[in-house]
Amino acid sequence: MSMDFAPPKYAQVMRAIQERIESGEYAPGDMLPSETQLVRELGVGRTTVVRALQTLAMQGWIEREHGRGSFVKGRPESGADRVRPSLTATEQGESAESLVEVARVSAPRYVAKLLGVAERTPVIMRRRVAREGGLPSAVETVWVPLEIAVGSDLDKPEPLRSGIRRHLQAVKHLRFDHITERVTARKPTKEEVELLGSSNPVLGVLATVHDPAGTVLLAMSLALPGTLHELEDVYKVS
Amino acid sequence: MSMDFAPPKYAQVMRAIQERIESGEYAPGDMLPSETQLVRELGVGRTTVVRALQTLAMQGWIEREHGRGSFVKGRPESGADRVRPSLTATEQGESAESLVEVARVSAPRYVAKLLGVAERTPVIMRRRVAREGGLPSAVETVWVPLEIAVGSDLDKPEPLRSGIRRHLQAVKHLRFDHITERVTARKPTKEEVELLGSSNPVLGVLATVHDPAGTVLLAMSLALPGTLHELEDVYKVS
DNA sequence: AACGGCCACTCGTCCGCACAAGTGGCCGAG
DNA sequence: CTCGGCCACTTGTGCGGACGAGTGGCCGTT
């Protein structure tokens, strides 16, 4: 019998309550069983129950009111459904039709700034056109320092079927940790107009991808036609 | 002696440690005193110290390693520095120069949709121009259902010095809970061109403000010239 | 010098208990 | 009927103790 590692009890209590909320057994607005009831029902100490409940409250599943009880709020939204255009850009696989250009170029000023290298340093540029329903829906240009690209297939003109992120992870063990994005509205460049087939204003996204140490792994510039794209975000107001 | 309310001890412990981190006494990478040392030093129970440390860890101030100790990471960035144009729009005070128009109009289609009312329902519209360094930097239009506006000064053409959020909170006890925002790129409308003095592409922000129950309190439409505005965001990549 | 076990120290989890403080209903006095 | 106090119930906070498990250094054996 290979006694699998049991998760800590407070986590088990959290899971139990989360499941009851998701199954609808505890509906939003309902009062949860009191701490003492849960203690009896689940056969754990109050410390454990309290820790579970307080963690759930911090995560937004429930709300606790001193002297009244704990009340169900529902699965937290976590605002995590924000659209992350630059993340998907690094995760999408490339195809022969979508890949427009792969070249070794000297970094333009704004790219050098993003990558933290000197202007005109040689870098790898990959440009592709994303399509939706057959129509071009975005131009995505990725800029990679040579140190990062060396030993990978990023500098080769063949499409990366598995996407940039997965490729760098597999071949060079590079881990993406966080992304910083700056969004603005601008007119599309000449190339973008050609590739998109429209000169409507675009959302211009400049992004940098960082590893856990904060080092910039690569930079990105996206052009998303405003007529096709909306970036949605939900956030709490203190 | 009016014994002021003392914050709970675990919060005091957190504060103490945060202050030592910010003062540099505990530098990033340093190992914190062990739990037992803190217990002796601060004269509290281990439960209390542990709770403080675990909360600090959850908030990103420190890192805890089983069997080794707790280590300083530094003040957490929290990615909360994302720009929230629609939030600031409701918090900024109005002035006579900035307020362009207050009117009772029938809701245009997209506004009715955001507010969840029938098209052509009468609503209150307030429009103002934000300025930065004397130059117009944004056009902010707020749409308020009559039920919300009634009893407040939102329908009066005088500027709300304290801002919309504070006014609604004070006069009608309405609490803002969360905001959903949709950002796109578009050409400015005729009115916006006049007010902004430029026809460059703008970031178009459509937002709705919700109370804790999810009810829409008001809708907003912002026009942010792309040449002046960037929305920055930093997010973790799982 | 290299190995391996012991041990002190760390954090992780859990328990039972205690008291404070907020809420709301019951119930008797008026 | 109304009011106010009492009391049962809730969560908030805090303590001390206990055991488990991961880490790393000391030290004796080989």
Short mmCIF file of all heavy atoms in Angstrom, two decimals, chain A residues 35 46 64 66, chain D residues 10-13:
data_model
loop_
_atom_site.label_atom_id
_atom_site.label_comp_id
_atom_site.label_asym_id
_atom_site.label_seq_id
_atom_site.Cartn_x
_atom_site.Cartn_y
_atom_site.Cartn_z
N GLU A 35 -18.62 27.31 12.70
CA GLU A 35 -17.32 26.68 12.88
C GLU A 35 -17.44 25.43 13.74
O GLU A 35 -16.89 24.37 13.40
CB GLU A 35 -16.34 27.68 13.51
CG GLU A 35 -16.04 28.85 12.59
CD GLU A 35 -15.24 29.93 13.30
OE1 GLU A 35 -14.97 29.78 14.50
OE2 GLU A 35 -14.91 30.93 12.64
N ARG A 46 -10.89 23.22 15.75
CA ARG A 46 -11.41 24.51 15.26
C ARG A 46 -10.32 25.29 14.56
O ARG A 46 -10.57 25.97 13.56
CB ARG A 46 -12.02 25.35 16.39
CG ARG A 46 -12.76 26.57 15.82
CD ARG A 46 -13.72 27.23 16.79
NE ARG A 46 -13.13 28.29 17.59
CZ ARG A 46 -13.35 29.60 17.40
NH1 ARG A 46 -14.15 29.99 16.45
NH2 ARG A 46 -12.79 30.48 18.17
N ARG A 64 -17.12 36.59 5.83
CA ARG A 64 -17.33 36.26 7.24
C ARG A 64 -17.77 37.51 7.98
O ARG A 64 -17.21 38.58 7.82
CB ARG A 64 -16.03 35.71 7.84
CG ARG A 64 -15.74 34.30 7.36
CD ARG A 64 -14.30 33.87 7.57
NE ARG A 64 -13.89 33.77 8.95
CZ ARG A 64 -14.26 32.81 9.77
NH1 ARG A 64 -15.10 31.90 9.37
NH2 ARG A 64 -13.82 32.80 11.00
N HIS A 66 -18.51 38.96 11.76
CA HIS A 66 -18.35 38.73 13.19
C HIS A 66 -19.72 38.69 13.87
O HIS A 66 -20.50 39.62 13.74
CB HIS A 66 -17.48 39.84 13.78
CG HIS A 66 -17.05 39.58 15.18
ND1 HIS A 66 -16.05 40.26 15.79
CD2 HIS A 66 -17.48 38.68 16.08
CE1 HIS A 66 -15.88 39.82 17.01
NE2 HIS A 66 -16.76 38.85 17.22
P DT D 10 -23.63 28.47 16.53
OP1 DT D 10 -24.09 27.74 15.33
OP2 DT D 10 -22.76 27.83 17.53
"O5'" DT D 10 -22.86 29.79 16.03
"C5'" DT D 10 -23.31 30.48 14.86
"C4'" DT D 10 -22.62 31.81 14.78
"O4'" DT D 10 -22.73 32.49 16.04
"C3'" DT D 10 -21.12 31.76 14.55
"O3'" DT D 10 -20.83 31.61 13.19
"C2'" DT D 10 -20.68 33.13 15.06
"C1'" DT D 10 -21.68 33.41 16.17
N1 DT D 10 -21.08 33.24 17.52
C2 DT D 10 -20.37 34.27 18.06
O2 DT D 10 -20.18 35.31 17.47
N3 DT D 10 -19.88 34.03 19.32
C4 DT D 10 -20.03 32.89 20.07
O4 DT D 10 -19.55 32.78 21.20
C5 DT D 10 -20.78 31.84 19.44
C7 DT D 10 -21.01 30.53 20.17
C6 DT D 10 -21.27 32.06 18.21
P DT D 11 -19.40 31.05 12.78
OP1 DT D 11 -19.49 30.65 11.37
OP2 DT D 11 -18.99 30.07 13.81
"O5'" DT D 11 -18.44 32.31 12.93
"C5'" DT D 11 -18.64 33.45 12.10
"C4'" DT D 11 -17.83 34.62 12.64
"O4'" DT D 11 -18.00 34.67 14.08
"C3'" DT D 11 -16.33 34.52 12.39
"O3'" DT D 11 -15.84 35.78 11.99
"C2'" DT D 11 -15.76 34.12 13.73
"C1'" DT D 11 -16.74 34.80 14.69
N1 DT D 11 -16.79 34.15 16.01
C2 DT D 11 -16.40 34.86 17.12
O2 DT D 11 -16.01 36.01 17.08
N3 DT D 11 -16.48 34.16 18.30
C4 DT D 11 -16.90 32.86 18.47
O4 DT D 11 -16.93 32.33 19.57
C5 DT D 11 -17.28 32.17 17.26
C7 DT D 11 -17.74 30.75 17.31
C6 DT D 11 -17.21 32.84 16.11
P DG D 12 -14.27 36.02 11.79
OP1 DG D 12 -14.13 37.11 10.84
OP2 DG D 12 -13.64 34.70 11.54
"O5'" DG D 12 -13.78 36.53 13.22
"C5'" DG D 12 -14.00 37.90 13.56
"C4'" DG D 12 -12.93 38.37 14.54
"O4'" DG D 12 -13.14 37.73 15.81
"C3'" DG D 12 -11.50 38.01 14.12
"O3'" DG D 12 -10.64 39.13 14.40
"C2'" DG D 12 -11.15 36.81 14.98
"C1'" DG D 12 -11.98 37.06 16.24
N9 DG D 12 -12.41 35.83 16.89
C8 DG D 12 -13.02 34.76 16.30
N7 DG D 12 -13.30 33.79 17.14
C5 DG D 12 -12.85 34.26 18.36
C6 DG D 12 -12.87 33.65 19.63
O6 DG D 12 -13.32 32.53 19.94
N1 DG D 12 -12.31 34.46 20.61
C2 DG D 12 -11.79 35.71 20.38
N2 DG D 12 -11.28 36.35 21.43
N3 DG D 12 -11.76 36.29 19.18
C4 DG D 12 -12.30 35.51 18.23
P DT D 13 -9.14 39.06 13.99
OP1 DT D 13 -8.73 40.45 13.81
OP2 DT D 13 -8.91 38.05 12.95
"O5'" DT D 13 -8.45 38.54 15.32
"C5'" DT D 13 -8.57 39.33 16.49
"C4'" DT D 13 -8.02 38.57 17.65
"O4'" DT D 13 -8.78 37.37 17.87
"C3'" DT D 13 -6.57 38.12 17.47
"O3'" DT D 13 -5.79 38.92 18.33
"C2'" DT D 13 -6.57 36.63 17.86
"C1'" DT D 13 -7.93 36.47 18.53
N1 DT D 13 -8.55 35.13 18.46
C2 DT D 13 -8.73 34.43 19.62
O2 DT D 13 -8.38 34.86 20.70
N3 DT D 13 -9.32 33.21 19.46
C4 DT D 13 -9.75 32.63 18.29
O4 DT D 13 -10.28 31.51 18.27
C5 DT D 13 -9.55 33.41 17.11
C7 DT D 13 -9.98 32.89 15.77
C6 DT D 13 -8.96 34.62 17.24
#
